Amino acid sequence: MSNMPINIDTRNLPSGWIQVKLPVVADLVMGQSPPSSTYNRQGNGLPFFQGKTEFGKVFPSPVKYCSIPNKVAECNDILISVRAPVGPTNLCKERSAIGRGLAAIRPSGNIPSLYLLFYLRSIEEWLSKQGTGSTFTAISKSDIEDINILIPPLNEQRRIVAKLEKLLAKVDTCKERLDKIPGILKRFRQSVLSAACSGRLTADWRENNPDVEPAEELLKRIQEKRLSNSKHPLLPSTESLSEMPKNWCSVTLDQLSILVTSGSRGWAQYYAEKGAIFIRAQDINTDHLKLEEVAYVNLPEDVEGTRSRVKLGDLLITATGANVAKTALVDRELPEAYVSQHVALVRLVSLEYCQFIYLWVISYSHGRSQLLDSAYGAGKPGLNLDNIRELVIALPPLPEQQEIVNRVQTLFKTADQIEQRYQKARTYIDQLTQSILAKAFRGELVPQDPNDEPASVLLERIRAERENRENVAKTAKKPAANKKQRSKKAQPQLEPTPQLEPTPQLEPIQLELPLFD
């Protein structure tokens, strides 16, 4: 285990500081899991923490309790995760039972618990790399005891804690504000889509373009082309969208498509390390086609399913699972690729309106809500192909579709730029926390006071206190030991009652007992 978790020259520590191993300034209690029969959720016994699952920002929140704990952490002990993952810390708020995923560190000599907590957080990244193990990483008791701790004078420790609490509270406030941005951007994008699909986004455009050919004429041309290309019968629109602008018309997705299908069920057996790309539900969970962890498939010539080979302009819709109705547009040429049985493929009659249809389908207030309402099954919701064919769409004239797509892309580009700035700011804030902690433990965060008692004196006092406790403990054990010794010595000295002669010389004594009526 490497002994230099902090980038500081220990040969030139700040005045009054000292570097020691953890056991010099703290006691260590390794967790041990009690029998599962002692667990409960009714609050019987002590709060029980098995690992970091219940950790919060500073304090853990109990979910389970233990009536017969094996190992106990006291109030203000530092809880450190020692296995999968290694390094995260919290402060024990009350006396608690701890399982084998945790250890409790108990500071000595009035060292503030928060000082050690902040110090361990400053080396958390280093600690996370010290774990060993093939199934999951873990560190042992000896690993923890081998950790080097930088100890300033006690008064300086208190100043460091006070300053860190103040600065890190501001950092947390910044994080909380920043973390609202993704939700705001998500709502913004959906508001844009809602305005686009209802016609509000292009109301001014329609006023300036009153002579545009109505969407019914576009639909007639689409139908003529569809009849000559589609192999399945048309499902006519059974629902009319009353609230839509003039010159728009109500259609079903089936009316605009020449193919609605999904992958073959038997393809999983043809997974391969290379071959054709196999598009699965997880590849479109962001409403974009992301082939970051690509799966491949090799198809024998006699396998049914080549109908679901993906082409430019196809819509891919998740048909089953928790992310049902997520949709991606194939907006670029792909190598040979096929969809799995959990992905529906929609091939439109023409590429010229595929971008608008994609926007309609991913709009929560329009296409997405219809698909989710049609999904069947509570545990694992799913869509059948007719659910997808029957999706009702408000179709604008083609020129207005193009204007809608351009405006949405412009607004989404602005949102993307804000999101990129958010990611940079979030990374900076995360780095700022570690920078502040590192500065604190280099002795640069608060001023040193030459009048402070040096850490060496504190350590001597801790040593003396431990020796005193050990002596008290030994003294407490002596009376019990002496009592045992006296009882052992008394046994050989026991003799028969003085008035009796030694047992071998006694004659049998006949006792005459009075008789009672």
Side-chain angles (χ1 to χ4, degrees):
M1 189 170 180
S2 173
N3 289 327
M4 289 300 296
I6 288 185
N7 184 20
I8 186 170
D9 184 1
T10 56
R11 296 168 300 179
N12 190 26
L13 290 173
S15 177
W17 288 43
I18 196 168
Q19 177 179 274
V20 296
K21 297 294 184 183
L22 179 66
V24 175
V25 292
D27 295 324
L28 181 63
V29 179
M30 300 300 293
Q32 185 179 1
S33 299
S36 58
S37 60
T38 66
Y39 301 172
N40 68 88
R41 293 177 181 268
Q42 289 73 44
N44 298 327
L46 298 180
F48 174 57
F49 304 112
Q50 182 70 278
K52 72 166 291 289
T53 306
E54 293 83 18
F55 277 12
K57 286 185 178 180
V58 179
F59 302 106
S61 299
V63 175
K64 294 180 181 179
Y65 293 80
C66 179
S67 56
I68 308 176
N70 285 336
K71 295 291 182 177
V72 173
E74 300 293 344
C75 180
N76 289 328
D77 282 0
I78 296 106
L79 303 177
I80 181 168
S81 178
V82 297
R83 54 189 293 170
V86 171
T89 50
N90 253 201
L91 200 61
C92 193
K93 197 172 185 179
E94 57 187 321
R95 198 164 186 264
S96 304
I98 55 173
R100 60 179 178 173
L102 297 178
I105 298 173
R106 191 167 301 152
S108 303
N110 293 323
I111 292 176
S113 295
L114 281 174
Y115 176 83
L116 280 185
L117 178 76
F118 287 139
Y119 181 86
L120 291 170
R121 288 187 172 182
S122 74
I123 63 171
E124 183 175 328
E125 184 178 354
W126 172 84
L127 274 172
S128 68
K129 298 175 182 177
Q130 307 309 307
T132 57
S134 56
T135 305
F136 50 81
T137 59
I139 55 175
S140 65
K141 181 178 182 182
S142 60
D143 290 330
I144 301 175
E145 291 174 337
D146 199 40
I147 296 174
N148 287 320
I149 305 290
L150 295 174
I151 301 296
L154 189 57
N155 286 336
E156 189 171 347
Q157 293 178 37
R158 293 166 179 154
R159 293 196 297 272
I160 289 173
V161 168
K163 189 69 172 180
L164 285 175
E165 285 187 297
K166 184 176 180 180
L167 292 177
L168 296 181
K170 292 182 178 179
V171 172
D172 287 341
T173 300
C174 289
K175 285 182 180 179
E176 291 172 1
R177 291 177 179 174
L178 277 175
D179 289 343
K180 293 178 181 178
I181 292 176
I184 294 172
L185 290 176
K186 183 177 180 180
R187 292 193 296 273
F188 169 76
R189 291 188 178 100
Q190 284 300 319
S191 296
V192 169
L193 290 172
S194 178
C197 296
S198 64
R200 298 194 310 273
L201 189 63
T202 47
D204 62 325
W205 184 90
R206 287 193 299 278
E207 290 181 2
N208 296 327
N209 297 271
D211 299 326
V212 172
E213 178 186 72
E216 285 87 350
E217 296 301 320
L218 170 63
L219 182 58
K220 289 179 182 178
R221 294 195 299 273
I222 292 173
Q223 290 302 292
E224 292 175 0
K225 191 173 182 180
R226 182 190 184 280
L227 289 174
S228 62
N229 287 279
S230 178
K231 296 181 180 179
H232 62 84
L234 174 68
L235 289 178
S237 174
T238 58
E239 180 180 348
S240 176
L241 297 174
S242 56
E243 296 182 3
M244 58 182 178
K246 183 180 179 181
N247 287 342
W248 290 34
C249 69
S250 176
V251 300
T252 62
L253 185 57
D254 186 67
Q255 289 177 282
L256 305 176
S257 309
I258 57 174
L259 177 65
V260 178
T261 188
S262 61
S264 296
R265 292 181 177 275
W267 281 19
Q269 62 182 307
Y270 301 117
Y271 273 127
E273 294 183 359
K274 60 181 181 179
I277 295 174
F278 197 48
I279 298 175
R280 303 156 298 168
Q282 58 262 45
D283 298 321
I284 60 178
N285 280 345
T286 61
D287 283 328
H288 295 281
L289 181 59
K290 291 189 175 181
L291 300 174
E292 296 173 350
E293 297 181 2
V294 183
Y296 299 96
V297 63
N298 285 328
L299 301 180
E301 293 181 0
D302 60 344
V303 172
E304 186 276 333
T306 54
R307 58 182 165 68
S308 59
R309 179 170 179 174
V310 176
K311 295 182 179 180
L312 179 69
D314 287 349
L315 292 176
L316 308 180
I317 302 174
T318 302
T320 61
N323 289 312
V324 66
K326 289 289 186 177
T327 304
L329 173 65
V330 181
D331 57 0
R332 62 191 186 278
E333 291 285 356
L334 294 175
E336 183 181 2
Y338 300 89
V339 294
S340 77
Q341 70 184 77
H342 304 294
V343 177
L345 182 152
V346 178
R347 183 159 299 142
L348 301 174
V349 173
S350 175
L351 294 179
E352 60 186 358
Y353 55 86
C354 65
Q355 290 182 310
F356 174 79
I357 302 303
Y358 166 67
L359 296 181
W360 179 277
V361 176
I362 67 172
S363 171
Y364 276 96
S365 55
H366 294 86
R368 179 69 49 78
S369 62
Q370 289 185 56
L371 291 175
L372 292 176
D373 287 344
S374 300
Y376 58 89
K380 188 178 181 181
L383 293 166
N384 60 44
L385 295 182
D386 279 347
N387 296 145
I388 295 171
R389 292 188 181 106
E390 293 166 357
L391 177 67
V392 182
I393 299 168
L395 186 70
L398 188 58
E400 187 170 357
Q401 289 183 41
Q402 295 167 344
E403 181 65 21
I404 288 171
V405 169
N406 288 336
R407 292 191 180 190
V408 170
Q409 288 178 343
T410 299
L411 292 169
F412 276 19
K413 185 177 180 180
T414 300
D416 291 342
Q417 291 171 344
I418 295 172
E419 192 164 31
Q420 290 173 2
R421 293 174 64 183
Y422 156 75
Q423 294 293 350
K424 290 181 179 178
R426 193 64 170 81
T427 300
Y428 172 77
I429 289 294
D430 290 339
Q431 294 172 345
L432 181 60
T433 297
Q434 285 304 312
S435 296
I436 292 172
L437 290 172
K439 190 173 184 179
F441 299 110
R442 289 197 303 266
E444 300 172 0
L445 190 63
V446 297
Q448 275 80 46
D449 187 342
N451 296 318
D452 284 344
E453 175 187 85
S456 58
V457 177
L458 170 63
L459 298 184
E460 182 59 31
R461 189 162 57 249
I462 291 173
R463 185 191 63 78
E465 288 174 357
R466 285 183 173 174
E467 286 185 357
N468 184 55
R469 286 201 307 268
E470 290 172 0
N471 291 334
V472 170
K474 289 178 181 178
T475 303
K477 291 179 180 179
K478 281 183 179 180
N482 291 338
K483 186 175 181 181
K484 289 181 180 179
Q485 290 176 0
R486 286 196 300 270
S487 63
K488 288 180 181 179
K489 291 178 180 179
Q491 288 176 5
Q493 296 174 359
L494 287 176
E495 297 291 343
T497 309
Q499 65 270 22
L500 297 177
E501 295 295 329
T503 303
Q505 299 176 7
L506 290 176
E507 293 293 331
I509 300 175
Q510 299 295 327
L511 296 178
E512 294 183 0
L513 299 176
L515 297 176
F516 294 92
D517 292 332

